[in-house]
Amino acid sequence: MSLAPRSEADLQQRQRSGDLRVLAAADFRVLVATGGLEAAYAATDVVVAANAEFTDQATLQLSLGPVDPPLRIREARLDGVLAQGAGGTAGLCLPIGGGLGEPLRQGGAQVLDALLAGRELELTLTGEATASHPRREYRGRLSLERLGGARLLLHRAIAENGVVAVSSAEGVVRSPYGPLLGPYGNALYSSSGSSSIGLTMPSLA
């Protein structure tokens, strides 16, 4: 079976004219089961994972690097925004938004915007004192240039569409997805299988 692909220009034209045919993935599967893939494809332009409501299911993850003496993060605030310790002793995790119930609450989105704008943000860390991590408190300033690393993690997108892992480092890097050959020598793809939105809509642009 050969299904002719739709071009981006065709889909945009349908959208402008108000004729774009959009189905949720569950509805598209029902259409395939009742009429076959060819008929379902002919009657559908775009398949979406669910609805088009706002979601802030994402986190901003920042790697701070070590402090001397070591500190195990118990509580953290960055520009007044409460953050969670992540990745052991040197990572912060900030929800990207305040949630649908508190849309005006400051979150990782505001912190990311401030960092990208070149601002220095006040960082306050409270430590959980242990024999290996004796420091109890740290106060300083944090800017984009001082970050050891940063990731914007879109949990819902990963669950629905999968991940492509690559490495920019020289040589082989062991990863949860398998060995990565750098720089950019290979790419390993991981998806959620039959529930992946990308696999649900074959040949759709």
Side-chain angles (χ1 to χ4, degrees), residues 83-165:
Q84 299 173 337
T89 60
L92 293 182
C93 177
L94 297 93
I96 206 66
L100 298 179
E102 299 179 80
L104 299 181
R105 194 180 78 191
Q106 298 287 292
Q110 289 77 22
V111 170
L112 177 60
D113 182 61
L115 288 171
L116 293 176
R119 286 179 49 200
E120 280 195 349
L121 308 182
E122 182 180 5
L123 173 64
T124 303
L125 304 176
T126 302
E128 180 180 346
T130 68
S132 300
H133 306 87
R135 190 165 190 158
R136 291 179 177 270
E137 189 176 72
Y138 175 85
R139 293 180 181 273
R141 309 287 295 179
L142 188 65
S143 64
L144 192 63
E145 292 75 18
R146 294 175 184 169
L147 282 174
R151 294 188 303 166
L152 180 60
L153 192 58
L154 306 174
H155 307 274
R156 183 171 178 177
I158 290 172
E160 291 170 355
N161 297 325
V163 175
V164 177

